[in-house]
Amino acid sequence: MRIPILKLQNYLLISIQVELDDQTAIQFQEDLLKKIHETGATGVVIDLTSVEIIDSFIAKVLGDVVSMSDLMGAKVVLTGIQPAVSITLIDLGIHLQGVHTALDLEQGLIKLRQELEE
């Protein structure tokens, strides 16, 4: 299963509407990095509103996606992190250091614009 990646101006928007398994997460990582390279996007918003469960592997992949995107010149904002996901991340001892977050997609775009000073 592939996760759709939409382009809006210089940004990429992703709304993850499925529970992520390991294979889907890896495929998403590869697709996103390829899309950043193809489009020259400077910002990415990943909406996790529909994700209710996360494990340590998926958290690592998300953290890696943020770091890899940053290396390619695209800032990432994660939005819509559910309470259960937040609790799980803390319980697992996973801290997404330096990862920008926002409550929803609209606020994520605002934060991304602020980060990019547009």
Side-chain angles (χ1 to χ4, degrees):
M1 173 178 290
R2 287 206 139 111
I3 297 172
I5 301 172
L6 305 175
K7 184 174 185 306
L8 175 67
Q9 299 172 345
N10 288 334
Y11 305 140
L12 298 176
L13 305 176
I14 301 107
S15 180
I16 299 177
Q17 299 289 317
V18 297
E19 291 301 325
L20 289 171
D21 58 48
D22 294 356
Q23 183 61 37
T24 303
I26 293 295
Q27 185 66 55
F28 165 65
Q29 178 178 292
E30 293 174 7
D31 289 348
L32 178 58
L33 297 177
K34 184 176 177 183
K35 195 77 167 184
I36 291 170
H37 179 73
E38 289 172 355
T39 64
T42 57
V44 177
V45 177
I46 302 173
D47 183 50
L48 301 170
T49 302
S50 297
V51 177
E52 297 179 4
I53 300 171
I54 195 167
D55 62 19
S56 60
F57 182 77
I58 301 299
K60 180 188 178 315
V61 170
L62 287 173
D64 289 349
V65 163
V66 173
S67 298
M68 291 173 186
S69 298
D70 193 46
L71 284 174
M72 295 181 70
K75 297 288 181 198
V76 177
V77 175
L78 299 178
T79 66
I81 295 176
Q82 297 298 310
V85 171
S86 178
I87 291 168
T88 301
L89 289 172
I90 297 303
D91 284 347
L92 292 171
I94 298 169
H95 301 279
L96 299 174
Q97 299 290 335
V99 176
H100 300 284
T101 60
L103 192 57
D104 57 31
L105 185 59
E106 183 177 1
Q107 291 182 12
L109 282 170
I110 292 169
K111 183 168 257 184
L112 189 57
R113 285 188 175 120
Q114 290 171 342
E115 287 296 318
L116 296 172
E117 297 180 27
E118 293 181 354

